[in-house]
Amino acid sequence: MQPYAVSRDSPWTHVAWMQALDLDFPLLSDWNGEATHGFGVAIEHNGMRDVSARSAFLLDAEGAVRGAWAYETSELPDVDVLLEAARALSGRA
C-alpha cells in the first residue's frame, strides 16, 4: 500500500503542506487538472474555474475506486481515517 495525495497546488506549495501536516508520503501536483476532471470534482470557487473540491478517493490495486470522501472547503481530511481505510482494503487493518 502506497498513499499519495494529489492537488492542483504547485510542487513548491506541497513542500509547505508536507511540513505543516507532518506527512510522510508523496504529494503529487495535478497542475493541468486531469485528475480533477477524471474524478469529477472540478468546481468554481471564488471566481476560479476547475478548482478541485476537497475530496479523497481510495483506489484498489487495479485502480477501481473503493471509497470516496467529500469535505467542506475549510475542512482538512483526517489522514489517519484515510490510512485506516486503505489498510482495511489491503488486509492490513
Side-chain angles (χ1 to χ4, degrees):
M1 171 188 73
Q2 174 62 53
Y4 295 92
V6 180
S7 82
R8 298 290 312 263
D9 289 330
S10 72
W12 302 279
T13 303
H14 287 160
V15 171
W17 276 114
M18 288 180 72
Q19 292 171 348
L21 298 174
D22 195 26
L23 301 178
D24 63 351
F25 50 85
L27 299 179
L28 307 176
S29 182
D30 182 28
W31 194 252
N32 60 11
E34 287 181 23
T36 298
H37 288 280
F39 283 104
V41 295
I43 62 170
E44 185 172 319
H45 180 69
N46 291 337
M48 295 182 291
R49 292 186 320 208
D50 297 332
V51 173
S52 300
R54 188 151 295 170
S55 50
F57 297 92
L58 177 60
L59 307 177
D60 66 16
E62 287 76 41
V65 176
R66 299 292 298 270
W69 294 260
Y71 305 94
E72 295 296 324
T73 303
S74 62
E75 185 180 14
L76 286 176
D78 185 331
V79 174
D80 293 329
V81 168
L82 299 174
L83 291 174
E84 178 68 26
R87 286 186 197 99
L89 178 63
S90 70
R92 296 187 196 166

